[in-house]
Every structure is written in C-alpha cells, then in structure tokens.
Amino acid sequence: MFELRSAVYIAPPTPFQNPGKGSGGGHWSPISCTLIYSASEAVLVDTPITIQQTEDLIAFIDRIAPKRKLSYIYITHGHGDHFFGLPILLHKFPEAQALATTGTVRHMEQQIEGNNYQRQWESRFPGQIARPFVLAQPLSATNEFKLQGRWSFQAIEVGRTDTHDSTVLWVPDLRLAVCGDVIYGQVHQMLLEANTAAKREEWIRAIEMVEALDPLYVVPGHCQEGEIMGCWHLENTKEYIRDFSRIVDGKPKSPRDIVGAMTKLYPDRYNTGAVILGAMGYFQALKESRI
C-alpha cells in the first residue's frame, strides 16, 4: 500500500456579478485545491469560493480518497477565494482542523469585515458564500504540523506576492510545494496589490524561496484544468511579473495600453479581468505617488 499521495482539484471558473455596475460581470479564475492523503487520513490545502464549488470539491475528495479522515485544512493566504468553503467542509468533516499562519489568520479576519466583505465578495457572489464564516486557527511558532504523527507539513512564509503574508505548504516527503497565489499557471496573474516595482520584486524573491526548496511538484493557486503541476510554473510566474514591469516602465498612457500589451504577450492565459485590475492598480499607485 502507498504511504502518501496527492491529487489536485481545479474548481472551474464561476460566474460573478460586476458590483455597482448593474448588468455584466465575468468568470472568476479556476482555483486549485490540493489533497494529500495516506491510507487513512488526509490534508486539504485551500478551498473554493461558493457553496456549489465546495460541494463539488467534497465529491472529488470522496471519490479520490474515500473513507479517509480529513485531519487538516490548510489555508495558504487570506484572500476569501481560498477559504470561504470552510463552513461546508467542516460540516462534512467535523474532525478536521483549519490551520494557517498568524499573518494569514489576520488577513482572513480583514476579508470578512462587514463593508470589506460586502464590497469585495457578497456583491460579486450574492447568496453563494456559506455563512457563518469559519476562520483558521494559527499554527504554532514552528509553522509545522504532522499527519498521523509521521509526515511533516511545513508552512513557509514568503511575504508579499499577489497579496501580503503569503505562504507555501511544503511537503518534504513528496517534494511537493502547494503554493497558493505565490505561483500561477495558465491564468493571468493578479497584480492589483503588487502595484509598485518594489512589491513586484518582493514577489520575485518569494518565488526564489520556493525554488530554493528544490520541489519536484509545484501546485499554482490558479491554473487551468489539465495542467501538469511542474516546476516550470516557477519561472513562468517570474517571467510574467517581469513582463508586466517592463510594460509599465514604458510609461503607458492608460490601463488599456497595459491590458493590450499583456494579452498580446499571453494570449492563452485565462481571465483578462485580472489584467484589467492589475493595470488599474498600477495607475492608482502612480496617482498616489504624485500626491
């Protein structure tokens, strides 16, 4: 019998409404949820957004690793699209412990604050997010937990990537790095918060921390169904950030210029909406720097 395995569920793009703009909207990027399991227990990394997506994830878990005890659910970072499924999962698997670093827990708390939650999430997914919210519990100072007292899972704090206080879950027995939004697959990267050159350099340094682990498998936080979880995602994510920086260094006149240039370079990546938000974030930061 095998000792430890992993499988990745890709929650497919889900429709969202455009807040404050009446009709219209788009589709949220696909979200990866990683299951690491032994013959009797399992660890899940990250959840999708909506109730339906999470129910589909549960069906995947029951199919891939039936009759396992789900012992832990680890959350890589505080964006709501990676932890809003917790209430549904913990109802199905009440013995599971939701875990995250202290920085991620603080970020999760910010995401569910009334006005912030309403503006960012409920307006886009009305009635589709499970309530009441459940937050993760902070890990111990070692940032480590073990499955069955045997297999080590290490939370690696890498700092700012597409948001602050990002982490990677490192599973040394599998040489597996589950990267959350530190790494992206064939999906446009969210640079809304990485809106200055310094912040983008921090993101590149975070990726180099993952490279230093020498992983065999790399799971991006957002990728398309069917992608192999290979190490090339590391360099591809850095290249995308550098291309964005090169384009904005050319002094674009409007967000449209950035979007056009990035989609020309990356015509096969999913979700142009992420590029639009990144371009808007750049111009907002530029405006603030001149005040």
Side-chain angles (χ1 to χ4, degrees), residues 16 18-19 21 27-29 79 120-121 124 184 188-195 200 240 244 255-256 258-259 271-285:
F16 68 87
N18 232 342
K21 296 184 180 179
H27 284 77
W28 203 262
S29 288
H79 279 156
Q120 289 195 53
W121 299 108
R124 289 185 168 92
Y184 277 70
H188 282 292
Q189 295 169 210
M190 180 62 76
L191 287 117
L192 176 63
E193 295 181 49
N195 55 4
R200 290 189 291 275
Y240 188 100
F244 185 93
R256 187 183 298 271
I258 298 172
V259 174
N271 192 7
T272 305
V275 193
I276 295 170
L277 288 174
M280 292 170 61
Y282 165 76
F283 275 98
Q284 181 62 36

Side-chain angles (χ1 to χ4, degrees), residues 17-85:
Q17 297 181 13
N18 232 342
K21 296 184 180 179
S23 61
H27 284 77
W28 203 262
S29 288
I31 302 164
S32 69
C33 305
T34 303
L35 189 70
I36 302 120
Y37 58 101
S38 71
S40 59
E41 297 189 29
V43 174
L44 177 68
V45 187
D46 286 344
T47 86
I49 307 172
T50 69
I51 294 168
Q52 184 59 60
Q53 284 179 317
T54 308
E55 290 175 345
D56 292 342
L57 168 61
I58 289 170
F60 169 85
I61 294 170
D62 286 342
R63 177 171 59 84
I64 291 292
K67 299 180 182 179
R68 268 68 167 188
K69 172 188 174 185
L70 184 62
S71 298
Y72 301 102
I73 305 171
Y74 179 77
I75 306 301
T76 58
H77 65 289
H79 279 156
D81 58 339
H82 291 260
F83 75 86
F84 282 149

Side-chain angles (χ1 to χ4, degrees), residues 113-162:
E113 289 174 356
N115 290 338
N116 192 33
Y117 170 73
Q118 181 62 39
R119 183 179 67 256
Q120 289 195 53
W121 299 108
E122 182 61 25
S123 59
R124 289 185 168 92
F125 301 98
Q128 298 177 68
I129 297 173
R131 306 285 293 272
F133 298 117
V134 175
L135 300 182
Q137 297 299 309
L139 285 164
S140 69
T142 65
N143 276 354
E144 182 182 21
F145 61 95
K146 290 191 174 184
L147 187 68
Q148 298 174 232
R150 179 179 176 188
W151 292 288
S152 175
F153 291 72
Q154 184 73 45
I156 309 295
E157 297 184 83
V158 298
R160 179 176 292 280
T161 60
D162 82 344

